[in-house]
């Protein structure tokens, strides 16, 4: 009967451990200590369940008296995974009580038992700390991520080489040192670096070192710790990953305050190094939609270097000729779009002027005022046509200012051009909407005797632009979400 199992392959010992009946579990173990308890349908063995529930007394009993103990669990994990993860609220419970469960296990005696379970498992079978789950993560990786410093120190003390086991698959992987940096675990970084001094040279699957990871994660404390603790800071800051990006390139994706503070504290670094796409940190920052002000570049050496860079030519590997720097390409792209917009604005200005002179319905032959002057739709036409005329005129005026500002190349000028370009596009959009509304109001006013046709024309005129705009907005949002998801996934890996 001890060896029998139910519909989910739970034996009596599975049940006793799960219900935390210590005396029953002892009785079952003593009756048949040679029986090998296999995993149930959920992939759990009695030892795994005891470790997950932090049932330390029962775990000790099975480890000491079972002749053929089995440690496997679901998702390719073992009992040591369970002991480390369950110490911080990881178990099969509903999300509604997860917070209460977390507080109970970390503040009460269960939190102490989690450490004792880890100690017992390491003492009995040290190789558990080197086994990975289906995600490629060892118990040490989870201990570092979940702030289980006690368990991580025990593993590092008993099996220091476990630090060199990579987390992840064959194509994308990282190291325990990178995980500590990514999650801001400065204490664990100190523990790992004290036991493994060569960890500062470790890189992940993308060829990124620990400083790459710290900057991508935007952890100021970790960046500060690397600056103060590592005597290889200069080597780390110049190291390039597989894309040719140094940690300085990745500053473009951090908060402006972090970026400015870093440049202020390290003004002599080479912020104009190129990656494999011939981009500097500043080029990547502009492409990401955020501009770095020249106020952060007060160092004379940096300013001199920036002047030299402004006249440098970049070789184009496809055509074998020299092309203008990326910043000048930005100027050309903005000016090209602005020229198209000014042509459209001129056409709108001409149409609205003509429509304002030749009003729908004509003029009274004797008195000279419009025949539809008392019509509400005609009044709306006049207002919409006037707004469209003025907005198109202002758009042309903004273009004239934009041309004047584009006479010289500089990052400050590019920032001003971007603002003017935004205003030009906004004014042109309002002018186009005004033209559509003016046209619909004019049609409604002239078709007033045919009320059904006038209403149908008005509904159709408003419906089509709304549908087109919604389709554009939804497409833009979907692309934005996709790009953000790819960036998030890249940073997580």
């Amino acid at each position: 009967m001890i060896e029998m199992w139910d519909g989910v392959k739970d034996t009596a010992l599975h049940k006793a451990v799960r219900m935390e009946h210590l005396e029953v579990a002892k009785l079952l173990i003593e009756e048949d200590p040679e029986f090998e308890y296999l995993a149930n349908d959920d992939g759990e063995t009695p030892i795994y369940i005891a470790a997950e529930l932090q049932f330390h007394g029962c775990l000790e009993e099975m480890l000491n008296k079972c002749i053929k103990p089995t440690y496997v669990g679901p998702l390719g994990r073992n009992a040591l995974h369970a002991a480390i993860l369950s110490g911080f609220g990881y178990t099969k419970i509903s999300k509604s009580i997860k917070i209460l469960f977390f507080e109970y296990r970390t503040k009460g005696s269960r939190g102490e038992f989690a450490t004792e379970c880890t100690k017992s498992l390491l003492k009995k079978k040290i190789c558990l700390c080197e086994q990975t789950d289906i995600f490629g993560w060892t118990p040490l990786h989870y201990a570092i991520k979940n702030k289980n410093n006690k368990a991580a120190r025990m593993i590092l003390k008993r099996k220091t080489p476990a630090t060199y086991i990579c987390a992840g698959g064959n194509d994308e992987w990282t190291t325990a040192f990178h995980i500590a940096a990514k999650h801001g675990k400065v204490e664990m970084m100190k523990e790992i670096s004290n036991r493994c001094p060569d960890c500062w040279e470790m890189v992940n699957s993308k060829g990124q070192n620990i400083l790459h990871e710290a900057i991508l994660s935007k952890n100021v404390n970790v960046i500060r710790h690397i600056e103060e603790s590592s005597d290889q800071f200069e080597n780390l800051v110049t190291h390039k990953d597989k894309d040719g990006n140094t940690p300085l390139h990745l500053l473009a994706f951090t908060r402006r305050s972090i970026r400015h503070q870093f440049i202020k504290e390290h003004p002599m670094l080479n912020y104009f190094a190129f990656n494999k796409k011939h981009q500097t940190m500043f080029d990547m920052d502009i492409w990401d939609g955020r501009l770095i002000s020249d106020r952060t570049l007060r160092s004379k050496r940096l300013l001199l270097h920036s002047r030299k860079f402004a006249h440098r030519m970049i070789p184009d590997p496809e055509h074998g000729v020299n092309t203008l720097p990326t910043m000048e390409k930005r100027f050309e792209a903005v000016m090209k779009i602005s020229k198209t917009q000014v042509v459209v604005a001129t056409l709108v200005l001409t149409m609205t002027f003509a429509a304002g002179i030749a009003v729908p319905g004509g003029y009274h032959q004797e008195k000279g005022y419009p025949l539809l002057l008392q019509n509400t739709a005609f009044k709306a036409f006049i207002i919409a046509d006037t707004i469209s005329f003025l907005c198109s005129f202002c758009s042309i005026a903004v273009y004239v200012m934009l041309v004047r500002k584009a006479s010289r190349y500089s990052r400050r000028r590019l920032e001003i051009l971007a603002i003017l370009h935004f205003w030009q596009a906004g004014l042109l959009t309002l002018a186009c909407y005004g033209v559509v509304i003016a046209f619909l109001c004019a049609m409604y006013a002239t078709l007033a005797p045919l009320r059904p046709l006038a209403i149908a024309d008005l509904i159709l005129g408003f419906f089509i632009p709304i549908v087109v705009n919604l389709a554009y907005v939804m497409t833009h949002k979907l692309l934005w979400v996709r790009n953000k998801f790819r960036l998030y996934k890249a940073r997580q890996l």
Side-chain angles (χ1 to χ4, degrees), residues 292-432:
I292 296 179
S293 174
D294 287 338
R295 297 175 183 176
T296 60
L297 305 177
R298 296 299 186 186
S299 170
K300 294 182 179 180
R301 180 178 176 180
L302 280 180
L303 292 176
L304 179 62
H305 200 164
S306 64
R307 294 191 187 100
K308 293 180 180 179
F309 170 74
H311 301 287
R312 187 181 299 173
M313 305 299 285
I314 301 175
D316 187 351
E318 295 183 0
H319 303 90
V321 297
N322 289 335
T323 59
L324 292 174
T326 308
M327 183 174 62
E328 297 182 9
K329 288 185 178 180
R330 303 285 190 274
F331 273 86
E332 293 176 0
V334 171
M335 294 304 300
K336 185 176 180 180
I337 298 173
S338 297
K339 287 179 181 178
T340 305
Q341 291 179 350
V342 76
V343 172
V344 177
T346 305
L347 293 174
V348 173
L349 184 70
T350 305
M351 288 189 296
T352 53
F353 178 81
I357 298 300
V359 295
Y363 293 92
H364 197 283
Q365 294 182 356
E366 298 179 358
K367 298 182 180 180
Y369 59 79
L371 293 175
L372 301 176
L373 187 61
Q374 302 300 323
N375 190 293
T376 304
F378 179 79
K379 296 177 182 178
F381 160 77
I382 294 297
I383 295 174
D385 188 75
T386 303
I387 293 175
S388 180
F389 177 84
L390 294 176
C391 287
S392 58
F393 175 79
C394 292
S395 179
I396 297 173
V398 171
Y399 175 75
V400 175
M401 297 174 60
L402 191 144
V403 173
R404 294 179 60 187
K405 293 292 183 181
S407 59
R408 290 192 308 167
Y409 296 119
S410 69
R411 290 186 178 83
R412 182 62 180 170
R413 290 293 179 107
L414 183 57
E415 184 176 1
I416 296 174
L417 255 65
I419 296 173
L420 293 176
H421 176 72
F422 170 79
W423 278 102
Q424 184 193 19
L427 290 168
L428 181 59
T429 302
L430 290 176
C432 292

Side-chain angles (χ1 to χ4, degrees), residues 18 21 38 60 132 204 208 270 305 415 439 486 491:
R18 188 176 289 110
H21 297 318
L38 300 179
E60 278 283 334
T132 59
N204 57 18
Q208 296 172 342
N270 183 15
H305 200 164
E415 184 176 1
F439 172 79
R486 288 179 177 177
R491 289 179 177 177

Side-chain angles (χ1 to χ4, degrees), residues 206-220:
K206 298 179 181 179
Q208 296 172 342
N209 59 34
I210 195 67
L211 188 56
H212 283 94
E213 189 68 64
I215 292 176
L216 276 177
S217 304
K218 304 176 184 178
N219 289 317
V220 179

